Amino acid sequence: MTLDRENKLLIGLCAMAAILIAKLFSIQILDDKYKQSAENNTKVYTTIYPTRGIIHDRNGKILVGNKVAYDLLATPSEITEFDTLALAHVLEVEPQFIIDKMAEFKKNKRRIGFQSVVMMKKLPPEVYMKFAEVSYQFPGFRGQARNLREYPFNAGGNLLGYVSEVNENYLKNHADEYKAGDYAGMTGIEAAREKELRGIKGYEVWLRNSKNKIESRFKEGEEDKEAIPGDNITTTIDAELQNYGQMLMNNKVGSLVAIEPSTGEILALISSPGIDVDKLADFGHHYTEISTDPYKPMYNRAVQAPYPPGSVFKLVNGLIGLQEGVFTPNTTYPCSMGFHFGKSGKLRCHAHKSPVNFEESIMMSCNAYYCYVLKDILENKKYENIEESLNKWREYVMSFGFGQKLGSDFPSEQAGFIPDAAYYNKYYKKGGWKALTVISLSIGQAEIGCTPLHLANLCATIANRGHYFIPHIIKDSENVTIDPKYKEKHYTMVDTTHFPKVIGGMYRAVNSGYGSGGTASIAAVEGLDICGKTGTAQNPHGDDHSVFICFAPKDNPKIAVAAFIENGGFGASYAAPIASLLTEKYLTGEICGNERKALEKRMMEANLLHKVRIKK
Amino acid sequence: MIGQIGNRGRGLGKTIDWKLVIIYMTLVLIGWANIYSSVQATDSTGLFDFANRSGKQFVWIAAALVLAIVILFVVSPRIYEGLAVPIYVIAIGLLLAVIVLGVEVKGSRSWFALGPIRFQPAEVSKISTSLMLAAFMSQLGYKISRFKDFVITALIILVPMGIIVMQSETGSALVYVGFIFMLYREGLSGWLIFMVGMAILLFILTLTCSNFVALLVLAGVSSFCIMLYSGRGKWWVFFGIPLIVLMAFLPRLLPEDFFLTPTHILLVVMFILIMVAAYVAFRERHMFTHLSLIAVLGGIMLIFSTAYLFNNVLQDHQRKRIEVLLGMKEDPSGVGYNVNQSKIAIGSGGLWGKGYMEGTQTTFGFVPEQSTDFIFCTIGEEWGFIGSSFVILLYVLLIWRIIRSAERSREAFTRIYGYCVACCIFMHLFINVGMTLGLMPVIGIPLPLVSYGGSSLWAFTVLIFIFIALDRNERKYF
């Protein structure tokens, strides 16, 4: 054979074919990795979802449990002819729904292939059982159990938060931990404690054959992984008290917070309006309704809304004054319907006897008294100038937890605001302000912003005679240990010896009887020794906010409450009755006497929503 | 013109190249069986159900056989030579028309849609160009080395190729490069093929390494050829090699902030040597050296325009495919996905394969286009090394037999046409199988006779059976 061009080309042809066959040989015979890759491609992982941890209240009652619902899966490639009407009947849907679904499957036939698709979500067990009995008539349809949240008590909707299927955004932020179709806590305790509650997913490994049918367990389940259920969580919430508080706050905008002073545990925390637990269970359906509600039920006012505290704040100023020695409990100041300063300046007060001493000033909530106190604190010769004394005052205030995040286990907690010298220097220019300029601070008005949780914490601090525990909502339980910071006492900068005087005033404010000048007589309950302080927070947008803090009993207090009712008027009009009813309910388990029962009814039925200005 | 069935010459049994027909039928049936296997995962219907691809392919096959019979028994093989020009012109017209009237499929405008049937003029153009080349080049007195003849020949190939590139069907256009083997057979200098090969090598080197490396390789190869052909082989060994080695280490030898880059120095050296070589060649009247030097200059220009060609002339998807093939970018889930899954499919077949319809990789749809461009995956996975090698050998046999028959032919027209057919099949085979094996970039052209699709099947049937008819026509009388 000569090497002419024909033969050269034939040799080239054979050489090229040899290259192809050599490559085939290399990947088909020599290299094993492709076989493994192909095997991996045929493995099917079916996820086993763990049951989510249960959330208990402080007494072991279940706040959030689990219930089973069923998803109806359809495998279009296995569906044969069936009785549409019968299926619609057992599933309790319109026959048209089934017809539409079948049409949809047919349209997406290529894409679906042999896979199963979810046809209906969250069938209740009753419906599913009915279907299961006759499911043999409907090949290609099967149920898949799924855990849903269940709420035995209508208590603490926004505290608990909701669980929903993770969306794209969530997946982006938690790429390694979640997959599409997973559920996660989105708000409240469900979100804050997601790591404990969610548990660990397991999986089963199956092999599919070339027809995409699942054939067998991979290595008899050797590579399977069991799901580990989520840890249970115990909250400090008292479910009954929370529920009762919600009833009291019905149709009012505001917050009601109860703390156990000796531990800092939050017994009840109501932000009104809240979210009903039935809506939580199926949050997706109610999302639009809830998110467009003008009263913003998703907004947890108790920890997020900074308000001026009003007269309640006088307690803080009084304690600071005593500590700084600018007055003594026996010091009396006059009050002529207010505090007069400058040429025509006046901070008004209401009618009460004059002059008053410290205890009486708390009992009667005298404004003028605290103007003198604050003026003396700020003009104290101990300090070089007002800037220094104001900053000192601020330091005291902040030692009560104000003006900062308390560090509770609410991720959304707000810090509030306590002004410092720099703030006023900026506002009035340096040297352009003096004690009288900022005199409203004395009665808890002006720039001060604090959340209802701050006020409840103040109340607990006074009840404890000078210290507090950071308020928190999760307790230690079997698998969950809370941060040790919640077990530390936090002392204020005011000596504990000054607190009994304040408590004396708070006791008299409640228990002096009508006509005595005590501002909170309406809160009195015989035998409970409630100590309280009213507040009326001025509100430029409408009616004043009604504020009240109280604790009981006077000695060895069991509960400290802060109530903040938006547009509720005087402290005594709504906040005081509501807080005292909550206290009574907690301490005695019921409301005693016809008078108190009538008050309870009146509070529950009161509707203040029309007074609330809705921001557009 | 019509009705040559009869007893003139030798009989049917002896004149038709039955071996070719059998190879053809075997490939078509292998294709049909594998199309059925690759679609049965999603459409579990019958082999003949017209709703799925295997059913449709049956119809296309039946139609292809009708075409084959018409070509063999109805149409006189003598007409092709005369009709080559009109057919060629009509095909060019169709190619142009489809740019305006065609439907857009996957980013390219190369299909006519007639109701449910789609048809690609580029397929017809393979036939028309082959006939045209055969007709033109078989003329008495044609000499490929004559400039005018060469240019017309080149234009016959380049015009349809250019229009197809304009349709964004670069893959189909690439097939036309294969005609260069036919031209080689017909007397084209082997250096042309060598230069095409060099150009591809330089292009790849520039992309994957650097201009410097590509220049160095160009300098080495061209100096070797020039010195060898001008009788100075020893000089090259003693002076050329040391100089090239020195240049290769230039980047390391130069201080970092030297005012000339190694590439610049290399260019200067090459320029000086080219001038010297040109002078020597002029004195010795050595034509080869002159042409070589022009080629070298062309090579340098190619190297420096590679970046521009790559980034501005190629389309995004083509660029990505080349990048993935050359390992410039890892992209196993994007462009690399197809190739990766395709290799997994073929690789997992092993020696004997997983068995017919038992392939997991292809039937789950991991491999896209598994019944068309990636049909070889199904073969590789289900029939293993044995089966896929067998299919490749069948193609080799097909091409081999066409070339041998073409060589035996007494008519230049038949010979040239036969080579054109062989080149087309070869290019399709190598590009398509090379793509599924990761040897070639992802270029969407079908595997002849096996891939799903009527257009392609009919085109190759016509292409092959015209040759069988031409061949038979000769056997009748000799």
Side-chain angles (χ1 to χ4, degrees):
Chain A
M1 199 166 91
T2 52
L3 201 64
D4 58 10
R5 291 198 161 186
E6 179 206 359
N7 286 330
K8 279 186 192 167
L9 285 174
L10 288 176
I11 289 167
L13 169 68
C14 293
M16 290 307 226
I19 290 174
L20 293 182
I21 290 175
K23 180 74 180 176
L24 274 176
F25 188 78
S26 128
I27 67 171
Q28 289 187 310
I29 312 282
L30 299 181
D31 204 333
D32 250 0
K33 82 174 182 211
Y34 297 106
K35 287 172 200 74
Q36 279 157 14
S37 301
E39 193 175 64
N40 284 339
N41 275 345
T42 62
K43 277 189 199 167
V44 181
Y45 288 82
T46 53
T47 312
I48 310 171
Y49 290 99
T51 47
R52 206 172 160 83
I54 289 168
I55 303 177
H56 294 281
D57 89 335
R58 61 189 294 110
N59 301 316
K61 289 187 179 124
I62 293 177
L63 282 173
V64 186
N66 293 315
K67 67 178 172 191
V68 175
Y70 294 86
D71 286 350
L72 188 72
L73 301 187
T75 315
S77 57
E78 290 171 13
I79 296 175
T80 53
E81 271 193 21
F82 65 91
D83 184 344
T84 312
L85 279 178
L87 184 64
H89 179 71
V90 291
L91 293 176
E92 299 176 6
V93 292
E94 292 295 314
Q96 193 56 42
F97 173 80
I98 309 264
I99 294 167
D100 290 347
K101 279 286 175 188
M102 290 304 122
E104 191 188 317
F105 295 154
K106 193 156 191 185
K107 209 177 96 194
N108 297 323
K109 191 176 163 195
R110 281 198 85 86
R111 189 172 56 75
I112 296 170
F114 285 85
Q115 291 169 333
S116 302
V117 287
V118 177
M119 187 166 120
M120 287 172 74
K121 281 186 171 176
K122 296 183 188 171
L123 288 180
E126 314 85 76
V127 174
Y128 175 70
M129 290 309 155
K130 245 170 61 187
F131 164 76
E133 279 170 23
V134 293
S135 64
Y136 67 91
Q137 298 172 10
F138 307 106
F141 296 94
R142 68 192 162 94
Q144 187 180 52
R146 218 175 65 166
N147 286 309
L148 283 187
R149 284 311 223 181
E150 184 179 45
Y151 304 88
F153 275 93
N154 184 12
N158 5 13
L159 292 186
L160 301 169
Y162 68 97
V163 171
S164 79
E165 201 170 327
V166 294
N167 62 18
E168 231 170 88
N169 221 344
Y170 194 92
L171 280 175
K172 219 183 274 167
N173 296 329
H174 302 80
D176 301 333
E177 298 167 77
Y178 294 87
K179 288 207 170 90
D182 286 356
Y183 280 69
M186 293 296 164
T187 56
I189 294 173
E190 298 273 23
R193 290 285 158 172
E194 169 69 12
K195 281 205 168 65
E196 283 100 346
L197 288 168
R198 69 180 171 200
I200 298 167
K201 278 183 288 185
Y203 52 78
E204 284 174 354
V205 191
W206 297 79
L207 283 181
R208 53 179 162 186
N209 67 5
S210 63
K211 316 282 183 302
N212 205 3
K213 285 224 175 85
I214 304 294
E215 245 184 4
S216 60
R217 295 293 276 275
F218 180 71
K219 292 188 185 165
E220 274 101 51
E222 210 175 275
E223 282 190 10
D224 293 2
K225 200 178 122 196
E226 297 247 350
I228 300 169
D231 291 329
N232 296 343
I233 294 281
T234 304
T235 69
T236 63
I237 296 292
D238 183 316
E240 310 252 4
L241 191 69
Q242 177 80 23
N243 177 263
Y244 182 70
Q246 279 170 213
M247 282 156 65
L248 289 173
M249 293 295 285
N250 200 16
N251 288 328
K252 296 158 201 77
V253 174
S255 308
L256 185 57
V257 181
I259 295 179
E260 185 177 68
S262 58
T263 56
E265 291 175 2
I266 295 169
L267 301 170
L269 188 140
I270 296 116
S271 170
S272 180
I275 302 168
D276 256 17
V277 289
D278 351 325
K279 289 183 185 166
L280 274 191
D282 195 7
F283 200 78
H285 265 118
H286 299 284
Y287 186 81
T288 324
E289 173 198 335
I290 290 169
S291 62
T292 56
D293 188 321
Y295 298 110
K296 298 190 178 146
M298 302 259 276
Y299 179 53
N300 190 347
R301 294 170 166 80
V303 296
Q304 287 181 287
Y307 302 98
S311 301
V312 171
F313 202 73
K314 289 172 183 168
L315 301 171
V316 181
N317 281 329
L319 284 164
I320 297 170
L322 289 175
Q323 179 70 25
E324 286 284 276
V326 299
F327 77 106
T328 70
N330 300 322
T331 309
T332 58
Y333 290 113
C335 174
S336 53
M337 293 296 282
F339 173 69
H340 301 261
F341 58 94
K343 278 177 193 152
S344 57
K346 182 181 181 187
L347 199 152
R348 279 140 61 97
C349 190
H350 54 95
H352 60 79
K353 77 165 208 177
S354 175
V356 289
N357 65 14
F358 182 48
E359 274 194 14
E360 285 164 340
S361 75
I362 294 173
M363 168 187 166
M364 299 176 190
S365 198
C366 175
N367 286 349
Y369 197 96
Y370 291 91
C371 294
Y372 289 109
V373 171
L374 186 73
K375 187 167 173 287
D376 290 346
I377 293 172
L378 295 181
E379 291 176 354
N380 196 337
K381 294 283 175 291
K382 250 179 17 189
Y383 304 107
E384 240 169 60
N385 53 31
I386 190 164
E387 292 174 18
E388 199 183 324
S389 56
L390 182 85
N391 283 342
K392 187 72 190 171
W393 169 82
R394 182 168 186 266
E395 218 178 293
Y396 273 112
V397 174
M398 288 186 66
S399 75
F400 285 82
F402 291 106
Q404 59 195 309
K405 289 183 185 177
L406 284 165
S408 72
D409 37 14
F410 294 95
S412 56
E413 193 194 340
Q414 292 295 306
F417 182 71
I418 304 294
D420 59 2
Y423 176 85
Y424 288 116
N425 280 342
K426 200 175 157 194
Y427 198 86
Y428 295 109
K429 282 188 199 146
K430 199 170 164 69
W433 56 283
K434 51 188 182 169
L436 291 175
T437 322
V438 299
I439 202 68
S440 304
L441 295 177
S442 64
I443 56 164
Q445 293 294 152
E447 295 84 0
I448 301 180
C450 56
T451 64
L453 186 70
H454 279 128
L455 294 183
N457 188 52
L458 168 67
C459 189
T461 311
I462 296 169
N464 285 339
R465 276 75 172 166
H467 70 263
Y468 68 89
F469 295 91
I470 299 173
H472 53 278
I473 197 168
I474 308 292
K475 273 170 86 103
D476 278 338
S477 57
E478 207 180 329
N479 294 312
V480 180
T481 318
I482 60 170
D483 195 318
K485 73 177 180 185
Y486 294 121
K487 290 167 188 162
E488 285 168 19
K489 280 184 184 177
H490 292 257
Y491 282 92
T492 69
M493 285 162 62
V494 177
D495 288 346
T496 52
T497 50
H498 296 302
F499 283 84
K501 286 288 164 205
V502 175
I503 292 170
M506 289 172 75
Y507 183 80
R508 285 174 65 183
V510 177
N511 298 300
S512 302
Y514 291 101
S516 64
T519 51
S521 300
I522 198 166
V525 181
E526 216 185 308
L528 291 190
D529 287 350
I530 296 177
C531 305
K533 176 76 194 82
T534 53
T536 306
Q538 284 166 22
N539 171 19
H541 308 298
D543 287 7
D544 291 344
H545 301 317
S546 172
V547 191
F548 188 67
I549 65 171
C550 69
F551 65 87
K554 186 180 171 193
D555 298 313
N556 220 349
K558 293 272 179 288
I559 182 169
V561 181
F564 201 110
I565 317 295
E566 285 188 25
N567 308 98
F570 296 118
S573 344
Y574 287 98
I578 285 174
S580 77
L581 285 166
L582 193 78
T583 308
E584 184 179 4
K585 179 82 177 179
Y586 181 68
L587 292 177
T588 64
E590 55 182 345
I591 304 301
C592 296
N594 289 335
E595 209 180 313
R596 292 288 290 170
K597 282 199 175 120
L599 184 67
E600 179 189 40
K601 185 163 181 284
R602 186 158 67 79
M603 286 302 129
M604 285 188 180
E605 286 173 359
N607 186 336
L608 300 178
L609 289 182
H610 61 278
K611 295 192 172 188
V612 178
R613 217 177 73 146
I614 294 165
K615 282 184 205 142
K616 292 259 165 74
Chain B
M1 300 268 295
I2 293 192
Q4 293 260 333
I5 317 165
N7 296 321
R8 284 169 55 189
R10 290 194 282 163
L12 255 183
K14 292 201 172 165
T15 53
I16 289 182
D17 188 344
W18 286 109
K19 283 182 188 159
L20 264 186
V21 175
I22 287 166
I23 296 170
Y24 165 87
M25 275 315 293
T26 313
L27 284 169
V28 167
L29 291 176
I30 285 174
W32 188 31
N34 282 292
I35 289 163
Y36 180 61
S37 171
S38 69
V39 297
Q40 53 92 29
T42 40
D43 298 299
S44 55
T45 40
L47 188 59
F48 296 98
D49 188 338
F50 191 69
N52 72 38
R53 289 191 159 185
S54 63
K56 284 182 187 160
Q57 185 74 357
F58 173 72
V59 177
W60 308 149
I61 291 172
L65 292 181
V66 172
L67 270 178
I69 289 166
V70 169
I71 291 166
L72 280 184
F73 304 118
V74 182
V75 183
S76 160
R78 294 179 188 283
I79 66 165
Y80 298 119
E81 207 165 343
L83 285 179
V85 176
I87 291 176
Y88 183 77
V89 171
I90 289 169
I92 296 287
L94 284 174
L95 281 177
L96 288 171
V98 81
I99 297 177
V100 185
L101 304 171
V103 289
E104 193 159 318
V105 180
K106 284 174 198 158
S108 66
R109 218 170 243 285
S110 60
W111 293 83
F112 279 122
L114 299 166
I117 295 166
R118 291 193 306 195
F119 144 84
Q120 205 174 13
E123 299 288 357
V124 178
S125 161
K126 274 199 280 273
I127 306 166
S128 64
T129 309
S130 299
L131 287 172
M132 186 67 200
L133 283 171
F136 180 70
M137 292 172 69
S138 59
Q139 282 170 334
L140 212 61
Y142 174 91
K143 267 181 111 176
I144 199 162
S145 52
R146 192 189 296 145
F147 185 69
K148 189 182 148 208
D149 282 351
F150 176 74
V151 168
I152 293 175
T153 309
L155 281 177
I156 291 173
I157 299 170
L158 290 176
V159 168
M161 195 174 160
I163 301 172
I164 292 170
V165 169
M166 272 161 32
Q167 295 169 353
S168 308
E169 277 281 331
T170 326
S172 303
L174 214 56
V175 173
Y176 288 73
V177 174
F179 286 127
I180 204 166
F181 300 119
M182 180 276 293
L183 296 181
Y184 173 72
R185 163 63 185 82
E186 295 304 313
L188 184 73
S189 165
W191 288 108
L192 202 70
I193 297 181
F194 178 74
M195 271 157 54
V196 170
M198 267 307 280
I200 294 170
L201 180 70
L202 291 178
F203 186 76
I204 292 174
L205 278 177
T206 314
L207 286 178
T208 53
C209 301
S210 65
N211 287 356
F212 181 77
V213 174
L215 274 177
L216 203 63
V217 169
L218 175 64
V221 172
S222 55
S223 63
F224 173 74
C225 296
I226 291 170
M227 298 297 251
L228 197 68
Y229 270 74
S230 58
R232 297 185 176 88
K234 277 185 188 168
W235 285 44
W236 189 75
V237 175
F238 291 123
F239 297 102
I241 292 181
L243 188 61
I244 289 164
V245 172
L246 176 75
M247 285 294 155
F249 282 98
L250 211 50
R252 296 227 181 142
L253 296 176
L254 282 185
E256 278 209 12
D257 47 354
F258 194 68
F259 72 102
L260 283 176
T261 63
T263 312
H264 285 135
I265 296 174
L266 184 58
L267 269 179
V268 170
V269 172
M270 282 174 75
F271 184 69
I272 293 167
L273 290 177
I274 287 169
M275 297 305 279
V276 171
Y279 175 71
V280 173
F282 175 72
R283 289 218 358 216
E284 296 177 359
R285 291 169 201 276
H286 200 269
M287 196 58 191
F288 178 81
T289 310
H290 279 300
L291 292 174
S292 306
L293 291 176
I294 292 169
V296 171
L297 290 174
I300 295 172
M301 272 154 62
L302 173 74
I303 289 170
F304 285 97
S305 56
T306 291
Y308 176 82
L309 287 174
F310 189 66
N311 292 319
N312 298 63
V313 176
L314 288 184
Q315 289 171 338
D316 267 352
H317 65 278
Q318 294 165 337
R319 192 159 52 238
K320 276 185 195 143
R321 287 167 182 179
I322 292 175
E323 283 170 343
V324 169
L325 178 80
L326 297 180
M328 292 161 70
K329 272 187 190 159
E330 284 285 331
D331 187 15
S333 56
V335 178
Y337 173 86
N338 293 3
V339 176
N340 193 34
Q341 291 297 344
S342 153
K343 280 162 86 180
I344 291 174
I346 296 172
S348 67
L351 181 64
W352 294 102
K354 296 178 184 168
Y356 183 52
M357 310 252 269
E358 293 298 327
T360 53
Q361 187 69 12
T362 41
T363 45
F364 293 159
F366 288 115
V367 182
E369 308 289 341
Q370 42 173 305
S371 54
T372 54
D373 296 347
F374 280 92
I375 188 79
F376 194 72
C377 293
T378 313
I379 298 170
E381 186 179 18
E382 298 187 347
W383 303 96
F385 178 68
I386 301 286
S388 32
S389 303
F390 174 71
V391 170
I392 290 177
L393 287 178
L394 271 181
Y395 279 108
V396 171
L397 221 59
L398 179 71
I399 297 167
W400 183 288
R401 187 144 187 95
I402 291 172
I403 290 178
R404 291 313 297 263
S405 306
E407 256 335 303
R408 223 183 25 235
S409 161
R410 283 174 171 94
E411 285 185 34
F413 182 82
T414 309
R415 182 185 69 237
I416 294 166
Y417 178 79
Y419 265 98
C420 287
V421 174
C423 290
C424 284
I425 299 172
F426 172 78
M427 288 303 278
H428 271 263
L429 169 75
F430 194 71
I431 293 175
N432 180 287
V433 176
M435 164 186 80
T436 61
L437 292 175
L439 291 171
M440 296 286 287
V442 177
I443 295 167
I445 59 170
L447 190 59
L449 308 178
V450 171
S451 282
Y452 168 79
S455 247
S456 161
L457 175 65
W458 295 339
F460 278 103
T461 303
V462 172
L463 210 53
I464 291 169
F465 276 87
I466 287 179
F467 178 72
I468 295 177
L470 288 169
D471 183 47
R472 171 178 177 238
N473 197 38
E474 296 199 12
R475 288 192 192 199
K476 258 187 199 164
Y477 306 108
F478 303 107

